[in-house]
Amino acid sequence: MAKPARGERARPIVAHSVSSPVQDSSLLTRRTGLIVATAMLAVAIVYVGYWTHDSIDLQLGSARYLVAWLVIAAGLAMTSCHDVSRADWWIDALAWSLAGWMTLSLVANAAYANVRLGINELGWWIATAALVTLARRVATQTRVQISLMYLVIAVSIGVAIFGWYQSFVDMPQLIAAYRADPDSVLRKAGIDAEAGSAMRIVFENRLYDGGPTGTFALANSMAALLVGGLIAALGMALVQWSSASKLRRAAGTVAIVLIGGMVLASRSRSAVVAFGLIAAWIAWRRWNRMAKWSLVAVALVAILAAAYAYRNSEWIEQAPASLAIRLNYWKSSLAMANQSPIVGVGPGQFKAAYELFRAPTSTEQIADPHQFLLQTLATGGWLALILFVTLMTLLVRQATRKDQPQIEPTPVSGVVIYSALLAVGSVWIFGAAIGQTPMLGAGLVASSGAMLLIALMATPRSNAIVSTSSPISLVAALAVAAITIDLLAAGGLTVPGVSVIGWTLVGIASPVTIKNVSVKPTISRLPIAMGLAISLVLIAWYGFGIRPIERAQPALNRFDLAWSRGQIDVAIETLEQAATADRWSPEPVLRLAGVMQSLAVTDTARQSQWLAGLKDAEGRSLAVGGRDPVMMRQLGDGRLVVYQRFGDKESLELARDFYQSACRWSPSHEAYAAQLAEILRELGDDRATDWAKRAAELAQLGGYYERRLDFTILLRAKHYGPLENGRPVREPAAKVLTQL
């Protein structure tokens, strides 16, 4: 193939069929590698539809294998498709540079960080770079663009159906069970909240007032995925409306209503605004049949929104308050970034660091600032934000270039379909084998409904060729725009269920520009170098992100069994094994501190031994736990229980020290201030009154009902001797602090 003349831009090669003849081994390598990479991306899309992982789960390591999977797929795509334009290499370089800078940020903050949380979140910044590299290379073929788009829609349909099942089946059953036996429901949820406590009030508020979340932990995260899927479903329906059968039109309409209705049910105002803005843009840009049908869709969703708002006036009335809360998040995040402008606070550290900057009128302890640009800024500093904005700018430029590959009549790709079906089967079959299947009722209904609807939408009538003249990449770009608008006020980049879908759509919107391929096989050092680089990344990730957790987790599981059986020595030994296996994680040593504290108050014959072990475990926890006020509260409470049992001044003073650290790193937390006041009162410290007044003032800020001191439960700083039923003495802060 002749090279383009000087000054002429190389145009991408668009493959029209996977069965096209291959003349040389270099093309065979390209084709085989891209087929495998495409299949791996499809599997990842299905996987995050079932197991989405929220940002907290991700920090605990739940997505460690998904990170490795995406890095391997990206390596295959890069080595198979390396003959790309200079602009595409700049995009790759920026994506991987961002991941590299986040690595430096974690190293720079390691002395004061929870390194285990940092490594786990860092893995997703690496996965983000892998997704950018992977999705843009596999989406150069028209058939792959179409089939990936339908797969994104299928996942959106499944999540929406899951949400509807929750609304009409799961949530009513859960509410009924909670009313019958609240303690049992709380135990199953892993929540220790006494009657009348603030934590129980928060749980009840979310139970009675919250909406469905689909397979996500948070409704806002679900809405971010669904608004992208809604635009994708609307766009694909409009693009092929004129040539579609009545059955396919009906299936597309049902899908749009299901997804759009669930966007409303999620109560995400930002998602509704995002959809309205994108649909209005379509109508403004193209006043034709597509625009008219867009207006019909907008009108339908508007009617549903009006009906929803009428029945749920709080959805509209609380909008200003919700915005005010977001503004508090953003101001605090900017203050956090200004304190550490070069390297930020590091991956995985936002939740702990945020407490130092949390506005006194705000009460939520958030894991991200609910704004993806500020999340990048707070995590990695201003350079990280510059890298990310530059990356997005180049992606937009590539998406809007004039030499985009034209959509040709092509069949739907079998690679994506078969790998996606294999992934669905694996989730259920292997999940059943290891006892980790999705929720049976909701999962089966959602899976069946999604596959049925997408089959009706995507299967051409009479197995004919899919024919369209509208660019699928434009639909993907509009879907990305909707997700981006939503994430400006609703979420971050470290939720895999949103991130994988979003970056896949980015790849469809801005595929790489493939340069001319030599007719003769050539040996290039570039694929070898890229393969070595990816191998080093994988080796490092296995050594830091997978192996320690895999070695520590079985030991933690053995601890649970040994402790439940009363095998004390075995339980302690397993915790030591877990701490040795994962030296960056504070979890084993924090558990060890809890064990030593429990044994100290129950086994008085070996009291000195257990107290010495407690002090050692506390010191080790401080060494790896970072500046985390929650950990300080946990350690302080442990010492207060020891004081209630033995009345030793050392435990009371250590409890004071822990709570002083908690108050220093979380100055707006009324419970920490109240508990410190109670400890200082017992020590005879004159500052007790000041801290009690501060706790009372904080409890009134923001107008939050659950912040009241009536619902803040404290440990009494008194010596009681043997505790009744072994339970520590707790009372409401309003009662405890009355004398102050």
Side-chain angles (χ1 to χ4, degrees), residues 351 354-355 358 362-367 629-630 666 669 672:
K351 185 174 183 180
Y354 172 79
E355 284 299 288
R358 176 163 61 91
S362 178
T363 185
E364 251 188 308
Q365 297 167 287
I366 56 176
V630 175
S666 182
H669 203 301
Y672 298 168

Side-chain angles (χ1 to χ4, degrees), residues 377-398:
L377 171 63
T379 301
W382 286 99
L383 181 57
L385 180 62
I386 291 171
L387 287 171
F388 184 77
V389 171
T390 306
L391 170 65
M392 295 301 295
T393 302
L394 289 184
L395 285 170
V396 171
R397 181 182 176 186
Q398 288 294 92

Side-chain angles (χ1 to χ4, degrees), residues 601-602 604 641-647 718-729:
V601 299
T602 55
T604 55
V641 173
V642 174
Y643 181 76
Q644 287 185 353
R645 176 66 179 86
F646 299 112
K718 286 186 177 182
H719 175 216
Y720 292 96
L723 301 173
E724 185 179 354
N725 299 322
R727 296 183 63 85
V729 180

Side-chain angles (χ1 to χ4, degrees), residues 666-681:
S666 182
S668 298
H669 203 301
E670 68 283 352
Y672 298 168
Q675 187 67 74
L676 179 58
E678 164 64 0
I679 295 170
L680 294 175
R681 179 203 58 76

Side-chain angles (χ1 to χ4, degrees), residues 343-356:
V343 294
V345 299
Q349 312 310 310
F350 182 91
K351 185 174 183 180
Y354 172 79
E355 284 299 288
L356 180 61

Side-chain angles (χ1 to χ4, degrees), residues 46 51 54 61 79 87 103 150 185 187 224 353 396 547 567 623 640 648 666 724:
V46 172
W51 308 113
D54 65 7
T79 54
T103 305
Y150 276 126
V185 172
R187 281 195 302 270
V396 171
R547 187 170 182 266
Q567 299 172 336
L640 280 174
D648 60 308
S666 182
E724 185 179 354

Side-chain angles (χ1 to χ4, degrees), residues 237-313:
L238 297 177
V239 163
Q240 301 191 27
W241 190 268
S242 59
S243 61
S245 65
K246 292 182 179 179
L247 183 60
R248 292 181 67 194
R249 293 179 182 179
T253 303
V254 171
I256 291 169
V257 172
L258 280 174
I259 301 172
M262 186 45 55
V263 169
L264 290 173
S266 71
R267 300 188 179 187
S268 175
R269 303 170 186 88
S270 57
V272 174
V273 169
F275 171 74
L277 289 175
I278 297 302
W281 184 90
I282 295 174
W284 178 71
R285 291 282 296 179
R286 296 177 179 273
W287 186 259
N288 52 21
R289 178 175 295 180
M290 180 183 292
K292 293 176 181 177
W293 280 108
S294 298
L295 290 177
V296 170
V298 172
L300 179 61
V301 174
I303 292 172
L304 292 173
Y308 185 84
Y310 177 76
R311 295 190 61 185
N312 299 270
S313 58

